[in-house]
Amino acid sequence: SSEVLEAIENVIEDVFKSLAQYKAPVLTVPRRSDWRNIEFKESVGLQMIPRYAVKQIRSDCPRSAQNFALMLKILSMIYKMVQTNTYATKRDIYYSDTQLFGSQSAVDNIINDISCMLKIPRRSLHILSTTKGFVAGSLSYTEEDGTKVNCTCSATAVSVPSNVQGIKNLISHAKFMLIVEKDATFQRLLDDDFCNRLSPCIMITGRGVPDLNTRLLVRKLWDTFQIPIFTLMDADPHGIEIMCVYKYGSVSMSFEAHHLTVPSIKWLGLLPSDLERLNIRKDVLIPFTKRDQSKLASIQRRPYIACQPMWKKELEIMAASKLKAEIQVLTSLSSDYLSRVYLPNKLQFGGWL
């Protein structure tokens, strides 16, 4: 906490120095979403380069003056929270003055900019992300406040903890971990008692694009148990994008890649090649939209695809067919095909990339 306070004090000191010299104060922030600031490293994923391009948030420029003020406002809130050892979610910060902040996304962006500028992870700034992910299966742990949590598979899953760094005493007999893209598929596998029927496993869903806590939990479980991690995604560009976020990270959070990515994650399904192999009827597949085509083209250009020749082939199959499929397409073969045939066969015979 003293590190955080000192980092904020240094920023404010620079503001005072500028004012004392009758200069307009300026905040210098790395350009988080600029691909020129990103390098790909197989062992880490997407990470920010040491000598990155920056943007200046000026107090004397009409376009950035409000952003400058909002950054100072949130820095002062963080400073108070660290001093008093209290925490807030991003939503708490937004609702503390909705008129001032204007939108939740403005708050989210500023918090990420501050974290990147100070080179301090967001959780150390005492800002908690709102959790939307779920976990189930062979896992138990103790939360920071001493609450014991048991995720052993039942009809209901457990919410991913809001302070992943604080959990301890993790125990699991799982042989593997399965990341499921969508909540509906996750619930279906829970109902089919998938976690126990094949072999003990841990199942996680970020319910679409994963929030920070879900990504932190996947990384923590990997660090703790070192068991294989598989992903189950829709066979579409959006599903592939989500899998890449878990495996290689996102451009906007590349400054935190070391805590968030798990490059050893495997693509279990749904593979574009599976659709042909399983003779899935064309009438249950979905034609590409223009947005799908541009998303897929963008993924194909990413630096990590070059080191994944098998992935490259799958993306080429998808690009050539211009068809996509949701995991639910397997119900056209039989209602429980996913849990009774598809996943057991894939896991037993090594059908992953």
Side-chain angles (χ1 to χ4, degrees):
S1 61
S2 58
E3 238 178 84
V4 181
L5 296 176
E6 193 183 329
I8 295 172
E9 283 161 9
N10 289 339
V11 171
I12 303 306
E13 206 174 294
D14 287 343
V15 169
F16 280 137
K17 276 180 190 166
S18 299
L19 291 170
Q21 294 164 6
Y22 300 101
K23 290 179 185 168
V26 170
L27 296 172
T28 305
V29 179
R31 290 186 181 275
R32 287 184 297 112
S33 298
D34 191 332
W35 273 97
R36 289 169 300 178
N37 275 349
I38 311 299
E39 65 179 359
F40 171 64
K41 200 173 171 188
E42 273 193 70
S43 60
V44 180
L46 300 175
Q47 61 177 7
M48 194 167 268
I49 59 175
R51 297 174 67 85
Y52 43 73
V54 296
K55 61 181 178 184
Q56 288 197 324
I57 299 170
R58 302 188 61 86
S59 59
D60 61 347
C61 167
R63 274 192 321 178
S64 63
Q66 187 184 4
N67 234 16
F68 179 90
L70 293 180
M71 280 190 83
L72 289 191
K73 168 74 175 167
I74 291 176
L75 277 168
S76 77
M77 293 171 85
I78 292 167
Y79 195 85
K80 276 181 197 156
M81 288 192 296
V82 174
Q83 272 188 321
T84 56
N85 197 27
T86 53
Y87 288 81
T89 65
K90 294 184 296 181
R91 288 187 75 74
D92 293 335
I93 290 173
Y94 169 60
Y95 281 110
S96 70
D97 198 330
T98 53
Q99 277 191 305
L100 175 69
F101 292 120
S103 71
Q104 181 69 61
S105 62
V107 171
D108 297 354
N109 266 325
I110 288 168
I111 288 166
N112 284 339
D113 275 346
I114 287 172
S115 177
C116 191
M117 175 178 74
L118 300 178
K119 296 184 178 59
I120 290 169
R122 194 199 298 169
R123 58 204 163 276
S124 301
L125 302 176
H126 284 229
I127 295 170
L128 303 173
S129 301
T130 311
T131 292
K132 65 185 177 92
F134 288 128
V135 59
S138 174
L139 176 67
S140 63
Y141 56 84
T142 308
E143 291 196 338
E144 198 177 30
D145 64 0
T147 307
K148 286 185 166 56
V149 178
N150 190 354
C151 305
T152 305
C153 250
S154 63
T156 55
V158 172
S159 283
V160 167
S162 57
N163 186 359
V164 174
Q165 295 309 103
I167 67 174
K168 49 190 183 291
N169 305 330
L170 287 90
I171 298 166
S172 176
H173 303 292
K175 299 284 182 277
F176 64 91
M177 202 181 338
L178 183 67
I179 300 171
V180 182
E181 178 188 348
K182 284 181 177 163
D183 191 29
T185 309
F186 180 85
Q187 294 298 338
R188 180 63 207 257
L189 290 171
L190 265 188
D191 294 342
D192 289 351
D193 196 25
F194 177 75
C195 296
N196 297 316
R197 221 176 47 214
L198 191 63
S199 65
C201 74
I202 299 168
M203 274 201 324
I204 291 182
T205 180
R207 298 163 78 197
V209 179
D211 57 279
L212 192 68
N213 291 327
T214 304
R215 290 174 64 190
L216 281 169
L217 182 63
V218 169
R219 176 58 195 251
K220 188 166 185 106
L221 293 174
W222 162 248
D223 287 339
T224 309
F225 302 118
Q226 300 277 309
I227 52 177
I229 305 179
F230 303 106
T231 59
L232 181 63
M233 307 279 151
D234 288 341
D236 67 10
H238 187 64
I240 292 164
E241 172 92 285
I242 288 169
M243 171 174 58
C244 292
V245 168
Y246 283 108
K247 186 175 172 75
Y248 294 125
S250 60
V251 174
S252 63
M253 293 296 287
S254 59
F255 64 96
E256 273 216 56
H258 287 78
H259 311 289
L260 293 172
T261 59
V262 184
S264 63
I265 283 173
K266 308 287 183 216
W267 185 7
L268 188 70
L270 190 61
L271 302 178
S273 59
D274 288 339
L275 304 176
E276 202 172 300
R277 185 176 61 82
L278 298 171
N279 290 320
I280 303 288
R281 299 194 323 269
K282 287 277 194 289
D283 63 315
V284 295
L285 301 178
I286 307 160
F288 259 26
T289 62
K290 278 208 171 99
R291 199 172 164 201
D292 290 326
Q293 278 178 292
S294 62
K295 169 71 80 183
L296 182 58
S298 140
I299 293 169
Q300 286 177 303
R301 290 193 297 270
R302 305 246 174 106
Y304 43 70
I305 297 300
C307 70
Q308 291 280 3
M310 300 301 285
W311 281 34
K312 202 174 173 189
K313 274 187 192 166
E314 293 293 334
L315 299 186
E316 283 164 4
I317 291 169
M318 190 184 283
S321 74
K322 291 190 171 61
L323 293 168
K324 58 183 181 177
E326 297 185 331
I327 296 160
Q328 284 79 354
V329 80
L330 296 175
T331 57
S332 68
L333 300 172
S334 76
S335 62
D336 56 359
Y337 192 85
L338 175 66
S339 60
R340 288 196 179 271
V341 182
Y342 182 82
L343 289 175
N345 282 348
K346 282 255 174 180
L347 291 160
Q348 190 178 346
F349 300 113
W352 58 78
L353 305 178

